[in-house]
Amino acid sequence: MEIADYIVADDRRLAALALDGDDAAFEYLFDRYNEAIRRLFVQRMGGSGDADDLLQETFIKVYINLHRYNPDYTFGQWVYTIARNTFVDYIRRRQDDLPIDERYATPVSSAPTPEESVINLQQRTQIEHYLDRLPAGYRQLIVMRFFDEYSYEEIAAKLGLPLGTVKTRIHRARERMCRLIAKGEER
């Protein structure tokens, strides 16, 4: 695959490629989530202490358990769940060393941190910005395929187009989106 294909590939596609042994696909998944996960750990621990170790442990678990990922759910939620569980395990290990009256003094929240919410909002805003710059037909295809998660066959049926036409147009829409993103990064 070319770099542009990895950049515009959705998480489910990258996960499938990684399962098939494509290490570059897993690197792109790691690159998409590592900073947000690290910030999660730093924020919850009140400093960077063991954040890098927890980040590494999280992505080792992601890699080892990739075959358990269910594409019916978003990859990001799955990774965050593993990260939260890794953090809970870390807190439990630390608390085993504390006297009984000091254990569980710090509640662990599963709600998104303010930083996670801002990151999610920024990513959505960026994607919407680039989607708005696509022609209407391409925008519709991208939304149907990657946001509404319709299969190619479902899109073809809903739009009354041949399957080959849908695949070609989605490919062109992804290429156009990739070019827009690349141009946007140069500014």
Side-chain angles (χ1 to χ4, degrees):
M1 260 174 76
E2 293 184 26
I3 292 174
D5 294 328
Y6 287 110
I7 291 171
V8 297
D10 67 347
D11 293 342
R12 288 175 181 89
R13 173 79 173 126
L14 291 175
L17 290 169
L19 271 173
D20 289 337
D22 187 338
D23 292 333
F26 189 78
E27 283 182 47
Y28 276 89
L29 286 171
F30 175 80
D31 289 342
R32 285 184 184 174
Y33 292 99
N34 79 73
E35 279 303 314
I37 298 294
R38 186 176 189 287
R39 284 188 205 118
L40 167 77
F41 292 139
V42 169
Q43 189 272 336
R44 294 221 171 142
M45 293 186 325
S48 62
D50 294 327
D52 290 330
D53 291 339
L54 290 172
L55 178 68
Q56 183 177 14
E57 185 177 338
T58 297
F59 277 94
I60 288 171
K61 289 178 181 177
V62 168
Y63 187 79
I64 290 171
N65 294 296
L66 197 55
H67 66 282
R68 293 182 177 176
Y69 167 62
N70 182 348
D72 292 339
Y73 302 97
T74 68
F75 188 80
Q77 289 172 333
W78 186 68
V79 171
Y80 278 109
T81 300
I82 291 172
R84 273 195 303 270
N85 291 341
T86 300
F87 183 73
V88 168
D89 291 344
Y90 166 80
I91 293 298
R92 286 185 185 141
R93 286 191 305 262
R94 281 190 44 205
Q95 289 180 341
D96 285 344
D97 297 333
L98 295 175
I100 194 86
D101 58 339
E102 293 180 27
R103 290 184 187 182
Y104 308 104
T106 307
V108 177
S109 173
S110 64
T113 65
E115 189 170 65
E116 289 172 334
S117 298
V118 168
I119 289 169
N120 289 337
L121 180 61
Q122 286 173 342
Q123 288 174 340
R124 273 195 306 271
T125 303
Q126 269 185 322
I127 290 170
E128 287 171 3
H129 167 75
Y130 292 119
L131 275 174
D132 288 343
R133 294 174 62 194
L134 286 176
Y138 283 169
R139 185 178 329 116
Q140 179 185 23
L141 289 169
I142 292 287
V143 168
M144 290 178 80
R145 178 71 178 137
F146 300 106
F147 293 91
D148 298 336
E149 299 180 2
Y150 288 119
S151 69
Y152 290 112
E153 292 79 9
E154 291 170 323
I155 295 170
K158 286 189 181 289
L159 298 180
L161 295 171
L163 182 60
T165 302
V166 168
K167 289 181 178 182
T168 300
R169 288 182 183 174
I170 289 174
H171 178 75
R172 289 177 182 160
R174 287 173 55 182
E175 283 181 337
R176 175 89 53 104
M177 185 91 159
C178 185
R179 283 194 301 271
L180 289 172
I181 291 168
K183 286 179 185 176
E185 290 174 356
E186 292 172 1
R187 293 180 184 165

